[in-house]
Amino acid sequence: MRTSGAQRGLIAVTQVLALAVWFSVSAVVPSVQHDLGISSTASVWLTGSVQLGFVTGALASTALNLADRMPVHLLLGTSAALAAACTSVVALFAQDLPSMIALRFLTGVFLAGVYPTGMKLMASWAGSSSRGLSMGLLIGALTLGSALPHLIGGLAVLPWREVLQATAVVGGVGAVIALTAVRAGPHFASRAVVLRPRYALRMLSERETRLVNLGYFGHMWELYALWTWIPVFVLHAPASASFAGYQQVMVFVAMGVFGFAGCLVGGWAADRYGRSRAAVTALAVSGACCVLSPLAFGSPAPVLAVFCALWGASVIADSGVFSTALSEVADRSMVGTALSAQTAIGFALTVFSIQLVPLVAEATHWRYAFLALVPGPIIGAIAMARFRGGSTAVSEPSGP
């Protein structure tokens, strides 16, 4: 299955399955707290440790240029298998918070070989005229995969260990597909790359790559904090009783299904109207949702559900745009390293925003918690409004 369409589909499916382990614990935090006696403050690290692990893994990959020096399908498949194995060990053996944090940290380290590598693979099968939509498909797959544990736990009403084991199996299937069926495409050279550990610093010194990275960093300040805390936000809302136990399903639909749709629309818009305009529009909509979140908190259930769906679509719609733009303005031989460096810094920021939201909620109320995310989309929109590279006018990269 070496055709462009088939490979893009396989890469997307691999991402959905492999990334199911990312928020597997976050989806069952209340049950974990109850069974293991973990406080609400300490439970933040069940998600924060994954983010820190991802940053560590992405920095190591950046310094070693792994995504540009290794066969990318092997890096993707092996990393997915190890992340799934860590999740399975949590499900089978973890009995306290320290062991869970250590295993979740390792899960994040291995996921750093899944997400950026998947982006390079997808870009390798798409020319500039269709790369926005292709990246939108990939980020949509990440969105569905990240939200999948909410669906598994919400529909099957499984104990938390069984939810984790189910996501580990799903991730293992993704690893098998990556190792056996996914291959790199023709749009990036396959020649050996000389080790260049300082390329990430050079990338940030160049105007266009710096602007697209600043846009991405603002986007990331908002994204993962929203994904982590939206279930708690909805749970504390006055209308929460109306969801009658289907809160997790609602979160999956809003963040997963509508997020997937938002990624496709954002990718299409990036190809049709340009990278800058698509990113600024998505950041403006998600930023407005941040500002209006206190009003939505007190709204009737249907209004709150629609609001969450709009936010879920807009907050991720621009993610593929940043990856697309960076793949077009970075050094062609170092695209994998550039994407790894971008995600490493972006995910480092999420550790702070994830920690900040519950602190604001504790100091005020969950109604106002997401106001802490407002600076992210503002800074991102300003940067992308100045960005002029990575348009659909970029010439097609030639094959090797």
Side-chain angles (χ1 to χ4, degrees):
M1 298 180 69
R2 294 297 183 90
T3 65
S4 175
Q7 279 295 312
R8 281 184 279 188
L10 285 170
I11 294 166
V13 169
T14 299
Q15 292 286 303
V16 171
L17 301 177
L19 293 171
V21 303
W22 199 316
F23 280 87
S24 55
V25 174
S26 302
V28 292
V29 162
S31 298
V32 174
Q33 287 180 279
H34 180 269
D35 284 0
L36 302 186
I38 299 172
S39 69
S40 297
T41 303
S43 68
V44 172
W45 287 105
L46 294 174
T47 298
S49 58
V50 182
Q51 307 301 95
L52 287 172
F54 184 94
V55 172
T56 302
L59 287 174
S61 177
T62 299
L64 297 173
N65 308 137
L66 290 182
D68 297 305
R69 297 172 65 219
M70 284 185 64
V72 279
H73 72 285
L74 293 180
L75 179 60
L76 173 60
T78 302
S79 299
L82 291 171
C86 286
T87 303
S88 182
V89 172
V90 173
L92 293 173
F93 302 111
Q95 297 295 334
D96 52 40
L97 182 62
S99 63
M100 291 191 73
I101 288 177
L103 287 164
R104 294 300 288 163
F105 178 85
L106 285 175
T107 302
V109 170
F110 296 129
L111 286 173
V114 175
Y115 176 33
T117 306
M119 288 191 287
K120 180 179 179 179
L121 274 167
M122 187 65 83
S124 76
W125 285 101
S128 289
S129 62
S130 62
R131 191 171 296 170
L133 183 57
S134 295
M135 284 293 198
L137 174 63
L138 181 85
I139 306 301
L142 174 145
T143 305
L144 279 176
S146 299
L148 191 59
H150 291 286
L151 182 65
I152 294 172
L155 289 181
V157 196
L158 297 172
W160 68 268
R161 291 185 186 275
E162 293 186 21
V163 172
L164 264 60
Q165 195 62 266
T167 59
V169 171
V170 169
V173 173
V176 172
I177 294 174
L179 291 169
T180 60
V182 170
R183 294 296 182 269
H187 286 286
F188 290 110
S190 58
R191 65 181 181 274
V193 173
V194 177
L195 183 65
R196 294 167 62 186
R198 296 184 180 179
Y199 176 72
L201 296 177
R202 201 195 90 188
M203 174 185 73
L204 294 174
S205 71
E206 298 171 353
R207 183 181 186 276
E208 295 304 307
T209 51
R210 183 172 63 251
L211 286 174
V212 73
N213 275 301
L214 282 174
Y216 178 76
F217 300 155
H219 152 82
M220 289 296 284
W221 178 263
E222 178 190 14
L223 175 62
Y224 275 83
L226 175 66
W227 277 2
T228 299
W229 295 114
I230 191 67
V232 181
F233 179 83
V234 172
L235 181 64
H236 284 82
S240 63
S242 300
F243 296 110
Y246 290 96
Q247 173 196 345
Q248 286 185 306
V249 176
M250 192 275 274
V251 169
F252 171 78
V253 172
M255 299 295 120
V257 177
F258 280 88
F260 182 83
C263 288
L264 295 182
V265 172
W268 169 82
D271 289 334
R272 178 67 176 83
Y273 300 107
R275 315 315 190 202
S276 174
R277 188 178 298 179
V280 170
T281 300
L283 287 162
V285 175
S286 65
C289 289
C290 289
V291 173
L292 296 174
S293 59
L295 293 177
F297 182 88
S299 300
V303 175
L304 179 60
V306 170
F307 177 83
C308 289
L310 175 63
W311 203 351
S314 60
V315 75
I316 191 65
D318 50 350
S319 193
V321 181
F322 298 118
S323 306
T324 301
L326 186 61
S327 75
E328 293 168 338
V329 298
D331 185 328
R332 277 192 61 196
S333 68
M334 301 298 287
V335 168
T337 296
L339 291 168
S340 295
Q342 182 189 63
T343 55
I345 300 172
F347 278 88
L349 289 173
T350 70
V351 175
F352 296 100
S353 60
I354 287 172
Q355 297 278 347
L356 182 59
V357 168
L359 291 177
V360 173
E362 184 177 346
T364 58
H365 190 276
W366 274 102
R367 176 189 290 269
Y368 306 106
F370 286 136
L371 292 178
L373 305 181
V374 172
I378 291 176
I379 292 171
I382 292 172
M384 289 306 292
R386 300 175 60 195
F387 177 72
R388 294 292 178 266
S391 70
T392 54
V394 174
S395 60
E396 292 285 316
S398 59

